[in-house]
Amino acid sequence: YYHCDEILRDAFYVDAERHPSEKIVFVTTISAFLYKGYDIVLKTANILKNMIGLEFEWRVYGYVDTVVAQKKSGLHPKNVNVRLMGLASAEQLQEVLLYATAYIHTSYIENSCNAIGEAQIMGCPCIACNVGGVSTSIENNVSGYLIPSNDIYQLAYKMDYLAKHPEEGKSFGRVGKIAARKRHDKTSIRNRVLAIYQDVLAYENEEKKC
């Protein structure tokens, strides 16, 4: 097995300065699959709004299949401050991550996560469910928060805490940005890909000699 990190979309390599909004804005990118956790978004937003009383907006980007999650939870996005933004370009996501309070990743199943990498390289603090390969991108309490999968109460608490303690978010953002720049460095990844192919070809040639 070989390990090789991934190159992000070009828009995220722009060295832009963050300008967090005075308004609390959470961002999530998601797809139609149920395991991406749209139900977690709705249930957590409900706690934030109706139990904690936080004033916020949660922007969800991507194609979202809303039917099952909304029926299961009994919640409508408009009633819990969730805005379905639809598909967005890399440039649009780059811009929103520069002023977002935090990026939230709700997936139940994940490998290495480019969405987290995109948020981190923009200096945006991240909170994510601790599943799959997510812990290889976020160091808990150092570059973000890792939450047990589907623990909506802990997720809501950490989101509320980060919203009310912006210095913590700045610290997470700085550490995450340094880590993401190293992890997604184009030159290092290109060299690693070439080294992997050279190693595989060398092994193939040795096998043929035998």
Side-chain angles (χ1 to χ4, degrees):
Y1 290 92
Y2 295 91
H3 173 81
C4 185
D5 290 306
E6 297 171 89
I7 292 177
L8 304 175
R9 293 176 287 181
D10 286 342
F12 295 98
Y13 289 94
V14 175
D15 190 17
E17 186 175 347
R18 265 180 56 80
H19 44 90
S21 170
E22 292 184 6
K23 182 178 180 179
I24 298 168
V25 178
F26 300 115
V27 173
T28 294
T29 59
I30 210 166
S31 64
F33 298 109
L34 291 174
Y35 63 75
K36 287 298 184 180
Y38 176 57
D39 61 315
I40 294 177
V41 172
L42 293 175
K43 290 183 287 186
T44 305
N46 184 49
I47 294 170
L48 286 169
K49 180 179 180 182
N50 296 315
M51 294 180 65
I52 296 176
L54 185 69
E55 293 289 333
F56 70 97
E57 179 180 277
W58 195 336
R59 299 183 183 181
V60 178
Y61 291 84
Y63 173 69
V64 182
D65 187 352
T66 62
V67 177
V68 174
Q70 289 176 200
K71 185 176 181 179
K72 180 182 177 183
S73 66
L75 298 168
H76 191 279
K78 289 183 179 179
N79 296 333
V80 290
N81 295 5
V82 172
R83 286 184 62 190
L84 299 177
M85 307 299 294
L87 298 176
S89 66
E91 289 74 19
Q92 289 171 317
L93 288 173
Q94 185 250 25
E95 175 59 28
V96 73
L97 288 168
L98 287 173
Y99 65 75
T101 305
Y103 175 80
I104 315 299
H105 200 70
T106 56
S107 187
Y108 290 96
I109 301 171
E110 195 60 77
N111 294 310
S112 61
C113 182
N114 279 3
I116 291 174
E118 290 172 350
Q120 287 182 318
I121 208 166
M122 288 293 101
C124 185
C126 298
I127 306 175
C129 292
N130 189 9
V131 298
V134 170
S135 61
T136 63
S137 297
I138 298 175
E139 185 177 355
N140 192 35
N141 295 318
V142 176
S143 59
Y145 291 130
L146 293 174
I147 306 298
S149 180
N150 201 26
D151 190 340
I152 56 176
Y153 292 96
Q154 188 172 164
L155 178 56
Y157 169 76
K158 292 297 187 182
M159 291 172 69
D160 179 59
Y161 184 87
L162 208 57
K164 294 173 180 174
H165 297 82
E167 290 303 316
E168 184 95 337
K170 288 180 182 178
S171 176
F172 287 166
R174 285 193 296 268
V175 175
K177 186 171 185 175
I178 292 169
R181 280 181 165 180
K182 182 178 180 180
R183 185 172 64 244
H184 300 289
D185 179 72
K186 290 182 179 182
T187 301
S188 297
I189 294 170
R190 182 177 64 245
N191 291 341
R192 178 61 178 155
V193 169
L194 292 172
I196 290 170
Y197 275 106
Q198 288 166 358
D199 194 52
V200 171
L201 290 170
Y203 179 80
E204 291 271 334
N205 291 333
E206 287 298 318
E207 285 289 296
K208 288 176 182 178
K209 290 177 183 178
C210 296

